[in-house]
Amino acid sequence: MVCRMFRIEAEVSKERRDLLHARLRDTNTAASPVLRALRGTVGARELPLHVWALDGTDGLSGGLVGHTWATWLHVTYLWVDERHRGAGLGSRLLAAAERLAREERDCRNVRLETWDFQAPGFYRKQGYEVVGMIEDYPPGVTEYTLTKRLA
């Protein structure tokens, strides 16, 4: 058995992050026939998808930030200014992102995470289903993972 010494570092490094991502992608691609078949196709690229709601003065009233990859839309953030909540703006932003993902990027599914104090009920009303939850993430809060099949 060979004993090696390693230096462990904690730092923010875009170069190392990108190298790690490339090596993980290559390892996963080699191990999975599904990922191997996806490699080199349009669906293999992670593409940002952003939708904005601007008021009459171009002020930000709400927005959705996410990305598409492998026929999935992943919603990272959805926010609506408090003044506009309850008026359907969140539903409109989400519907616009789903439509773009489905029609322009051939996505068939959506996933997102939300906390118990945020909007799990809102997403259920939009047709999302809870597929997982983590209690105490962060402590005292439950995080939900929800998915939806796009028509």
Side-chain angles (χ1 to χ4, degrees), residues 112 114 129-134 142-147:
L112 56 87
T114 190
E129 176 183 332
V130 174
V131 295
M133 59 186 272
I134 304 171
T142 299
E143 181 183 81
Y144 293 93
T145 300
L146 296 97
T147 62

Side-chain angles (χ1 to χ4, degrees), residues 1-58:
M1 181 159 108
V2 177
C3 182
R4 294 195 174 112
M5 298 297 292
F6 297 98
R7 186 178 74 244
I8 304 297
E9 297 179 359
E11 68 173 282
V12 175
S13 169
K14 181 181 180 331
E15 295 78 21
R16 286 182 182 167
R17 184 202 64 199
D18 292 346
L19 176 60
L20 179 70
H21 180 256
R23 289 186 179 172
L24 179 62
R25 182 192 62 231
D26 292 344
T27 301
N28 289 342
T29 300
S32 167
V34 172
L35 293 180
R36 238 183 342 273
L38 184 63
R39 191 84 184 255
T41 68
V42 175
R45 290 193 47 221
E46 186 177 295
L47 299 172
L49 193 152
H50 300 176
V51 181
W52 309 108
L54 305 173
D55 64 22
T57 63
D58 289 334

